[in-house]
Amino acid sequence: AVSGQSSYFVWLNRGKESVALDLTTADGKAALQALLDEADVLVQNLKPGSLERLGFGPESLRKSHPRLVICSISGYGETGPFADRKAYDLLIQAESGLCSITGGPSEPARVGISIVDVSTGATAHAAILEALIARGVTGDGADIRVSMFDVMADWLTVPLLQHEGGKPPKRIGMAHPSIAPYGVFATKDGKPLLISIQSEREWKKFCITFLRNPDAITDPTYASNVARVKNRAATDDLVGSVFASLSEAEARERLTDADIAFAGVNDMGDLSQHPHLRRVTVETEAGPVSYPAPGPIFIGAERHYGAVPALDEHEASPSKRG
């Protein structure tokens, strides 16, 4: 999608070096050994047991390279009945139950980005940083194991506890399972807006300034969040009828005056032109590419982003890597 390049590769590999090794050959193993001799961290996601069979198992590396931080990523971990099962992002979304709470009432759905891959990478990243900090104190590296299933199960703690407490979550699209009104409403010119009422104070101001219906504050149907959730259809009808009488501009103005949290229901075209989108430009073999900047901002320290390498651009030679 990016001038003939993979969007994933361009996103994830800026500032890196690319070396392709055949680890079934003596030269490939020697090149990896040379890299490990200089490395702080080894991250690998080969099938469980593969690195051991190649002679680079974490247990042996901990002995030969005691300061090395090793992070092994797998689908289901290295023990248990699914240890040898292939695992990809959408498969784990389904197996973990994430799809069951995603989408509208009619059927489960996948999250629109590779949320399992991203969350697993972020979890591994945090664990590696923790190990590096600890190594600065103890001098010892670490052997870290992260599975995609474990990460997603951790992220699903709240809906799991709700289920085990007798209140299994239901799919309700872009509404909130325990807050109302919290959902999408369309203006008379067909523009969808997502609103969120977070407190009774906000509800009162919303009734006065947006709905212009102060009687709804004390009406038993809407008088508390519990009542509004119980009577969600009536609440949504009340709010939706006012949205339907306003243009998008009028609705946005009233919501702003009422200090209510709201958002446009945007697509990628809207994100591309969004006033809050920060971008960086990186070089690639197909030319410069502009895309969203990393989230962290370091005040007083300008960030520089390296080029995206071509596959095996740096080869295995130490002189090339330099």
Side-chain angles (χ1 to χ4, degrees):
V2 186
S3 302
Q5 304 170 101
S6 160
S7 53
Y8 287 96
F9 193 91
V10 169
W11 173 39
L12 295 171
N13 287 316
R14 62 172 177 262
K16 296 182 183 179
E17 296 180 352
S18 177
V19 177
L21 303 179
D22 182 353
L23 295 182
T24 65
T25 67
D27 287 346
K29 291 179 179 180
L32 177 58
Q33 184 64 60
L35 289 169
L36 289 171
D37 290 342
E38 303 172 359
D40 292 298
V41 180
L42 168 66
V43 181
Q44 66 95 11
N45 70 334
L46 300 178
K47 186 176 181 180
S50 296
L51 208 58
E52 285 83 352
R53 288 190 291 274
L54 291 166
F56 297 95
E59 291 85 356
S60 61
L61 286 177
R62 289 285 291 127
K63 295 176 182 177
S64 61
H65 298 73
R67 288 179 55 82
L68 184 65
V69 174
I70 307 159
C71 182
S72 300
I73 297 174
S74 63
Y76 292 95
E78 298 176 18
T79 60
F82 291 1
D84 293 328
R85 181 183 288 191
K86 291 182 178 180
Y88 306 114
D89 181 276
L90 182 51
L91 297 177
I92 299 295
Q93 288 196 38
E95 187 73 38
S96 67
L98 174 61
C99 293
S100 76
I101 59 169
T102 305
S106 62
E107 62 183 17
R110 70 178 287 270
V111 176
I113 61 171
S114 297
I115 189 68
V116 178
D117 290 342
V118 174
S119 61
T120 301
T123 299
H125 176 253
I128 289 166
L129 294 183
E130 180 181 340
L132 288 172
I133 293 170
R135 189 185 72 175
V137 176
T138 67
D140 293 330
D143 180 359
I144 302 167
R145 314 291 173 100
V146 179
S147 86
M148 299 160 70
F149 185 86
D150 284 350
V151 170
M152 195 44 47
D154 178 25
W155 281 35
L156 287 165
T157 294
V158 170
L160 175 64
L161 292 178
Q162 290 172 340
H163 164 78
E164 293 178 346
K167 297 182 179 179
K170 298 178 180 179
R171 292 188 305 274
I172 52 176
M174 291 187 67
H176 194 284
S178 57
I179 302 175
Y182 194 146
V184 177
F185 299 92
T187 61
K188 69 178 180 182
D189 44 358
K191 301 296 184 180
L193 292 174
L194 174 65
I195 67 165
S196 171
I197 302 296
Q198 291 288 316
S199 67
E200 295 311 311
R201 177 188 58 80
E202 286 190 356
W203 171 248
K204 291 176 182 178
K205 194 168 183 180
F206 181 72
C207 289
I208 294 169
T209 305
F210 184 86
L211 299 181
R212 297 185 178 174
N213 181 0
D215 291 341
I217 297 172
T218 55
D219 188 320
T221 304
Y222 319 112
S224 70
N225 182 63
V226 172
R228 293 192 296 274
V229 171
K230 180 180 178 182
N231 301 296
R232 186 187 297 275
T235 302
D236 288 351
D237 285 345
L238 173 68
V239 175
S241 65
V242 176
F243 268 96
S245 70
L246 303 172
S247 67
E248 179 189 15
E250 292 168 335
R252 285 176 176 268
E253 182 178 4
R254 283 199 195 181
L255 290 167
T256 301
D257 289 344
D259 194 26
I260 299 301
F262 71 95
V265 183
N266 292 334
D267 59 19
M268 290 302 100
D270 297 312
L271 175 60
S272 179
Q273 304 299 322
H274 201 283
H276 278 264
L277 178 63
R278 297 168 36 248
R279 288 180 175 268
V280 296
T281 299
V282 297
E283 294 297 326
T284 77
E285 62 177 331
V289 176
S290 171
Y291 55 66
I297 298 174
F298 289 76
I299 302 301
E302 185 178 356
R303 308 294 282 174
H304 299 281
Y305 301 98
V308 177
L311 186 64
D312 200 27
E313 178 178 335
H314 300 89
E315 301 182 11
S317 163
S319 62
K320 284 278 189 179
R321 293 201 311 275

